Amino acid sequence: MASTSVYASSFLQFIFLILLVTLSSVLPVATFSKEQFSIEEATVHDLQLAFQRNQLSSRKLVEFYLKRIQSLNPVLRGVLEVNPDALTQADNADQERKTKPQGPFSALHGIPILVKDNIATKDKLNTTAGSYALLGSVVPRDAGVVTRLRKAGAVILGKASLSEWSHYRSSNAPSGWSARGGQGKNPYTGDDPCGSSSGSAISVATNMVTVSIGTETDGSILCPSSYNSVVGIKPTVGLTSRAGVVPISPRQDTVGPICRTVSDAAYVLETIAGIDINDKATIEASKFVPKGGYAQFLRKDGLRGKRLGVVRVFFNSGDDAFLQETFQLHMSTLRQRGAVLVDNLNMDNINELSYDQSESIALDIEFKLALNAYLKDLVASPVRSLANVIAFNKKHSKLEKIDEYGQDLMLEAQKTSGIGKQLNGALLNMTRLSKNGFEKLMKRNKLDAVVAPFSSFSSILAIGGYPGVMVPAGYEKGAPFGICFGGLKGSEPKLIEIAYSFEQATKLRKPPPPIHKLKF
């Protein structure tokens, strides 16, 4: 399969590094009319207005991002491949606007978007989950979410990097690392970007793209969003299609937006949510999709009257006075905006949740079954089963850094023997834990959402298939951290109201520092 890699030779990378200081100071600001328009930090709404006013074209926007990628990506490693057809797609969008100046067009029409490299695109891009084992494989069709993005007129700019196999190859590999992509870097600190949707967050944070798509099984949207000072929405499982996504667990996998603002995330979510005949879970979850989309819930007064639960054990930051004071200020902001805080709550089974192994037992079994099914469905592939992947890694151990990181998670999954008493027991236990824990907490206290720091609540949301939204909450010694709002299945409208109102009240996100100031 043909592709355009964003990585040059080692010599060119050396030249890039020498020029980084210069490049970071002269990155384009993009002025297209007497009214100066800056692309950096522009929202989807800003860009659509610029299109309408002829201040900007989709081609100019794509060119801007390609230059950013060329300048920043050799160090940050947020983008795995750029689409050789991106400029053609941009030209098509520009032509459509000229032909139909009054539209109507979707909010994402002509907007560049990166999709995580475990999300299939039936084009010149590879879909590899960051592994050389899938390089050159041919997918049967676009992933369900990509089909919706194309229909909306979005420009598929390329593939975002990730933790290889969505961090389900090795427990020893660092977040943001893949054999194909190398080590992704947090643009604020130069170190851990969190994963597995690391590249999606890095790229959006550094203005290498407008918006991106990530996936989550447990924490893989929420954590990198928190670490990279961006907004991430982990949707209710089934709200968005997982068809065409390299899987871990169909029971927990979900696809969602990673963006700089809640409004951008809402526009992306309303584009990708809905029924896909190739993912049966979307049929049941379609009852949660609101008529009129999600942008209607972008209300500055969205916190008014909302009951927010505070489970204090998640706010235990030890002796870190700065974090304690910061989150206390955020609690005050929530109250000032009209929210009712139900404080000092406890989850009856929090200790059991902390130590229970049901999730890991189930994921091992589900990963083998789901990955084997995905690989068998490919039109062409160097590997057709998990066993093939393991063998490939052993054969190409230097390329895949097996000596350094191993593949213990894959080896454990390969030992499993499919659906049976062990899996059924784990599933029943997680259902019980969710009903007697999170659902009981929400219903007993009549809560609209639970508020938690960082991605500390991600596993509770993960095992029950519940949604969550991460919003930038501050910086400690330059390192970003977020605040998470989680709710029951289908509560995305409420969560967007809450998150948007908090974001507008605080406006804490700021771009990363110039790259030459970071220590790598």
Side-chain angles (χ1 to χ4, degrees):
M1 179 184 294
S3 66
T4 302
S5 173
V6 298
Y7 302 116
S9 66
S10 58
F11 174 73
L12 288 176
Q13 288 187 27
F14 176 70
I15 297 299
F16 276 136
L17 288 170
I18 293 174
L19 294 174
L20 272 176
V21 173
T22 304
L23 287 168
S24 65
S25 65
V26 298
L27 287 172
V29 175
T31 302
F32 300 109
S33 76
K34 292 179 181 178
E35 298 178 39
Q36 290 189 350
F37 179 78
S38 174
I39 293 174
E40 288 189 52
E41 296 293 295
T43 65
V44 166
H45 179 69
D46 294 336
L47 295 171
Q48 290 296 349
L49 283 178
F51 290 157
Q52 293 171 21
R53 295 169 179 169
N54 293 318
Q55 294 175 294
L56 181 65
S57 66
S58 291
R59 169 171 271 272
K60 291 289 186 183
L61 185 57
V62 169
E63 288 174 340
F64 173 86
Y65 289 134
L66 291 176
K67 289 178 182 177
R68 295 279 299 187
I69 292 168
Q70 185 181 41
S71 300
L72 301 176
N73 200 60
V75 170
L76 297 177
R77 301 297 183 104
V79 183
L80 193 55
E81 295 183 13
V82 294
N83 188 353
D85 294 329
L87 285 171
T88 300
Q89 291 179 22
D91 290 339
N92 291 340
D94 290 335
Q95 185 59 43
E96 287 169 358
R97 282 195 299 274
K98 288 179 182 178
T99 304
K100 294 174 64 179
Q102 302 304 315
F105 296 110
S106 82
L108 295 187
H109 185 269
I111 300 295
I113 187 165
L114 284 169
V115 298
K116 188 176 176 181
D117 184 48
N118 62 341
I119 300 173
T121 54
K122 185 69 171 175
D123 53 17
K124 296 173 183 175
L125 292 164
N126 287 288
T127 303
T128 68
S131 170
Y132 282 106
L134 282 178
L135 187 61
S137 62
V138 180
V139 299
R141 64 192 73 85
D142 278 336
V145 293
V146 173
T147 298
R148 286 181 170 271
L149 290 169
R150 292 197 200 276
K151 187 176 179 180
V155 175
I156 307 300
L157 185 64
K159 292 293 181 76
S161 61
L162 72 166
S163 305
E164 188 173 310
W165 294 104
S166 297
H167 222 310
Y168 217 79
R169 190 194 96 179
S170 167
S171 58
N172 298 313
S175 284
W177 177 86
S178 71
R180 287 195 64 219
Q183 180 61 59
K185 298 287 188 179
N186 186 315
Y188 292 86
T189 62
D191 53 21
D192 185 7
C194 202
S196 63
S197 303
S198 48
S200 302
I202 293 166
S203 303
V204 166
T206 53
N207 287 270
M208 289 194 280
V209 73
T210 311
V211 293
S212 68
I213 301 287
T215 67
E216 174 158 334
T217 306
D218 186 337
S220 290
I221 289 175
L222 297 177
C223 186
S225 296
S226 177
Y227 272 48
N228 294 276
S229 196
V230 291
V231 173
I233 297 181
K234 176 226 183 250
T236 300
V237 170
L239 192 76
T240 56
S241 173
R242 290 84 46 80
V245 176
V246 181
I248 294 178
S249 162
R251 179 183 49 81
Q252 286 186 205
D253 292 347
T254 187
V255 181
I258 297 179
C259 307
R260 286 185 292 274
T261 65
V262 177
S263 62
D264 284 359
Y267 286 127
V268 175
L269 183 62
E270 70 181 22
T271 300
I272 63 175
I275 292 175
D276 177 4
I277 59 171
N278 293 314
D279 183 354
K280 293 180 181 178
T282 61
I283 298 172
E284 172 65 22
S286 65
K287 64 187 178 185
F288 297 132
V289 181
K291 292 181 179 179
Y294 290 99
Q296 63 184 305
F297 302 105
L298 298 170
R299 298 174 47 207
K300 286 188 176 181
D301 64 349
L303 278 164
R304 186 175 299 164
K306 296 294 193 299
R307 290 177 60 83
L308 305 182
V310 182
V311 181
R312 279 290 164 182
V313 67
F314 292 106
F315 285 89
N316 182 12
S317 52
D319 297 327
D320 196 324
F322 174 78
L323 286 176
Q324 291 177 1
E325 291 172 9
T326 299
F327 281 109
Q328 280 305 113
L329 286 172
H330 291 335
M331 297 301 168
S332 297
T333 298
L334 294 171
R335 289 191 184 95
Q336 290 165 8
R337 284 291 175 128
V340 177
L341 263 61
V342 187
D343 207 343
N344 297 307
L345 294 177
N346 293 301
M347 287 181 63
D348 293 340
N349 59 1
I350 190 67
N351 289 330
E352 186 179 2
L353 277 162
S354 301
Y355 296 105
D356 187 77
Q357 297 298 307
S358 297
E359 183 184 18
S360 60
I361 292 169
L363 290 181
D364 278 349
I365 298 168
E366 291 167 332
F367 177 61
K368 180 179 177 180
L369 293 170
L371 183 61
N372 285 347
Y374 173 88
L375 294 174
K376 287 176 182 177
D377 193 44
L378 294 173
V379 175
S381 176
V383 290
R384 290 293 185 179
S385 67
L386 175 58
N388 290 166
V389 175
I390 291 169
F392 178 95
N393 291 340
K394 288 181 179 178
K395 183 177 181 180
H396 304 277
S397 59
K398 187 173 182 180
L399 197 63
E400 287 286 341
K401 291 194 174 183
I402 292 298
D403 291 342
E404 292 92 328
Y405 303 139
Q407 52 180 334
D408 60 306
L409 296 178
M410 285 188 164
L411 292 171
E412 286 301 311
Q414 181 59 25
K415 293 176 184 176
T416 63
S417 54
I419 298 171
K421 185 180 291 187
Q422 188 180 32
L423 176 60
N424 291 334
L427 297 181
L428 285 171
N429 198 41
M430 283 187 286
T431 298
R432 177 185 62 81
L433 289 170
S434 293
K435 286 185 176 179
N436 294 341
F438 184 57
E439 289 189 22
K440 184 177 179 181
L441 177 78
M442 292 289 292
K443 293 172 181 177
R444 182 172 58 192
N445 295 284
K446 299 179 181 179
L447 301 177
D448 294 297
V450 164
V451 56
F454 329 122
S455 57
S456 58
F457 212 64
S458 67
S459 291
I460 290 171
L461 299 178
I463 65 170
Y466 308 117
V469 181
M470 184 69 69
V471 183
Y475 305 83
E476 184 175 34
K477 298 178 181 178
F481 56 88
I483 189 168
C484 181
F485 303 99
L488 296 174
K489 291 181 181 180
S491 63
E492 282 84 355
K494 287 182 181 179
L495 296 181
I496 288 171
E497 286 182 330
I498 293 165
Y500 182 73
S501 185
F502 174 81
E503 175 195 56
Q504 294 303 298
T506 55
K507 295 187 176 180
L508 287 166
R509 175 183 154 73
K510 57 185 178 183
I515 195 168
H516 67 274
K517 292 187 178 181
L518 296 177
K519 295 180 180 179
F520 293 99

